[in-house]
Amino acid sequence: MIFQDLNLITPILQALEKEGYTNPTPIQEQAIPSILLDKDILGCAQTGTGKTAAFAIPILQKLHKNKDYSKHAVLKALILTPTRELAIQIDESFASYGQFLGLHHTVIFGGVKQGNQVNRLNKGIDILIATPGRLLDLMSQGIISLRNIEYFVLDEADRMLDMGFSNDVKKVIKELPVVRQNLL
Ligand code: AMP
């Protein structure tokens, strides 16, 4: 199979071509069509098998199709991940696969001052990649609202629980709209 077989829009195919990717990996081949059909997904694959693109590509495509570019960006996609390193990598993936789309994304994590992150958030974003602690902190300050989230990704869900994030994850989920697409 090639990426052209997956019903992807031209700006995403162009980004993939620029990165030198022609064939989807097995998890991408299985997950992308189902995510485009609005299904919830639970996917398991080892690190390095293209899991990030498996959720990032269809989320970018769906956000782009429904986006009103004349309006201020509304936060519609949340990716929760256990570590700062993973959060930064995921943000880079959104930058890469979405390089020909006009969507805004940013990454937040703890251990650094919040000022730059808050400035970025206040400019308006469509996609947020976050570690749980900093997300809950900014939510409690009223800086982030999850009321318009349509796509929720729990990345490395097993590791998240191993690292003791279960209560934090529950608190985040409580703030999400009931109708949403869940990707684990
Ligand atoms: P991940 O498992 O998401 O961490 O991805 C592992 C690496 O594979 C990353 O460096 C991606 O840029 C790369 N990658 C993702 N999808 C593909 C693909 N379809 N073909 C080749 N490389 C890919």
Side-chain angles (χ1 to χ4, degrees):
M1 186 183 265
I2 53 173
F3 275 112
Q4 269 87 348
D5 298 326
L6 289 177
N7 279 326
L8 300 176
I9 53 176
T10 306
I12 290 182
L13 289 172
Q14 282 170 337
L16 291 168
E17 196 183 329
K18 196 170 157 198
E19 297 300 318
Y21 305 160
T22 42
N23 306 96
T25 65
I27 191 156
Q28 291 165 359
E29 200 175 309
Q30 291 174 64
I32 292 173
S34 297
I35 299 173
L36 291 175
L37 289 172
D38 303 331
K39 296 197 173 143
D40 283 0
I41 289 284
L42 193 159
C44 303
Q46 287 174 327
T47 308
T49 50
K51 250 187 297 174
T52 313
F55 64 77
I57 289 170
I59 287 177
L60 284 162
Q61 173 148 330
K62 296 203 307 172
L63 286 172
H64 178 69
K65 283 203 159 165
N66 297 322
K67 171 123 175 153
D68 181 349
Y69 281 96
S70 67
K71 292 196 177 137
H72 199 248
V74 174
L75 177 57
K76 289 192 177 169
L78 172 66
I79 294 88
L80 207 52
T81 189
T83 68
R84 165 194 179 133
E85 289 72 25
L86 280 168
I88 292 169
Q89 275 174 33
I90 295 169
D91 188 54
E92 286 168 356
S93 294
F94 274 95
S96 157
Y97 308 131
Q99 62 187 288
F100 299 121
L101 303 172
L103 295 164
H104 302 292
H105 56 93
T106 196
V107 57
I108 60 167
F109 43 77
V112 293
K113 286 189 180 154
Q114 70 176 45
N116 286 339
Q117 296 178 1
V118 173
N119 289 342
R120 186 73 194 83
L121 289 164
N122 286 340
K123 284 188 188 147
I125 52 157
D126 303 282
I127 303 155
L128 177 64
I129 300 102
T131 56
R134 179 54 59 97
L135 174 65
L136 287 167
D137 188 1
L138 296 183
M139 282 163 62
S140 71
Q141 295 177 53
I143 294 164
I144 294 173
S145 159
L146 303 183
R147 70 172 168 266
N148 295 304
I149 293 291
E150 294 175 5
Y151 310 106
F152 173 59
V153 182
L154 196 53
D155 182 51
E156 307 252 347
D158 46 352
R159 199 161 146 204
M160 196 87 98
L161 300 182
D162 288 344
M163 287 171 70
F165 280 131
S166 134
N167 278 340
D168 282 354
V169 171
K170 282 186 194 152
K171 281 187 208 161
V172 171
I173 290 174
K174 257 178 144 175
E175 300 300 318
L176 294 171
V178 177
V179 179
R180 59 176 194 262
Q181 189 173 15
N182 299 290
L183 310 173
L184 276 77

